[in-house]
Amino acid sequence: MERKSYPTDLTDMEWEILAPLIPPPKEGGHPPTTDMGEICNAIYFHLKTGCQWNMLPGDFPPRSTVYSYYSKWQGQGVWEKFNHTLGSQVRSKLGKSTQPTALAADSQSVKTDQRKRMCMVLTDVKR
């Protein structure tokens, strides 16, 4: 049975871009039985709606599986890879350099213990 579609679902084109960025399963382990696209769709649904993990609609993979991948990918930096890749592609389509050339920050968005490091980053950007 095909599940209901949600506005947060990845398009085929988006999935084509993101799929190669997902870490492969561990060698020698149990082969994955869950569709990684559905895991991503469930995670995006959770992030967009703000629902609790146990409130994910039942037509997504089990919440424990979804949360497990979300947490593991967070630790592996997968979300940063997603954001960097998609951001670069958007900038490229807009005719801009894939890497931003400026950074804006204010003291309200930088934690106190990170101010010195942020100042060093800003100095490097200005060079």
Side-chain angles (χ1 to χ4, degrees):
M1 181 170 90
E2 197 168 313
R3 77 162 174 82
K4 167 186 171 177
S5 68
Y6 295 96
T8 55
D9 285 354
L10 293 167
T11 64
D12 290 340
M13 186 182 299
E14 290 168 333
W15 178 240
E16 194 174 304
I17 294 166
L18 297 180
L21 302 175
I22 294 176
K26 291 180 183 177
E27 288 188 32
H30 188 303
T33 56
T34 306
D35 179 356
M36 291 299 113
E38 285 300 293
I39 294 291
C40 288
N41 285 333
I43 291 170
Y44 287 130
F45 181 90
H46 163 76
L47 294 173
K48 181 67 175 179
T49 64
C51 74
Q52 297 172 352
W53 288 107
N54 64 350
M55 299 292 285
L56 281 174
D59 50 358
F60 283 125
R63 70 173 188 231
S64 59
T65 303
V66 174
Y67 179 76
S68 174
Y69 277 102
Y70 171 79
S71 180
K72 180 171 42 172
W73 291 348
Q74 191 172 28
Q76 294 174 338
V78 173
W79 300 114
E80 287 82 5
K81 288 179 195 173
F82 279 11
N83 288 332
H84 177 74
T85 300
L86 293 174
S88 295
Q89 289 196 5
V90 167
R91 292 182 62 81
S92 181
K93 283 189 177 190
L94 293 173
K96 297 181 178 185
S97 167
T98 58
Q99 296 296 319
T101 56
L103 172 70
D106 62 23
S107 61
Q108 296 299 313
S109 62
V110 179
K111 292 181 181 176
T112 305
D113 62 338
Q114 294 179 337
R115 282 192 182 158
K116 184 175 182 180
R117 186 173 354 144
M118 183 56 81
C119 289
M120 291 177 357
V121 169
L122 290 172
T123 303
D124 289 343
V125 168
K126 290 179 183 177
R127 290 183 191 168

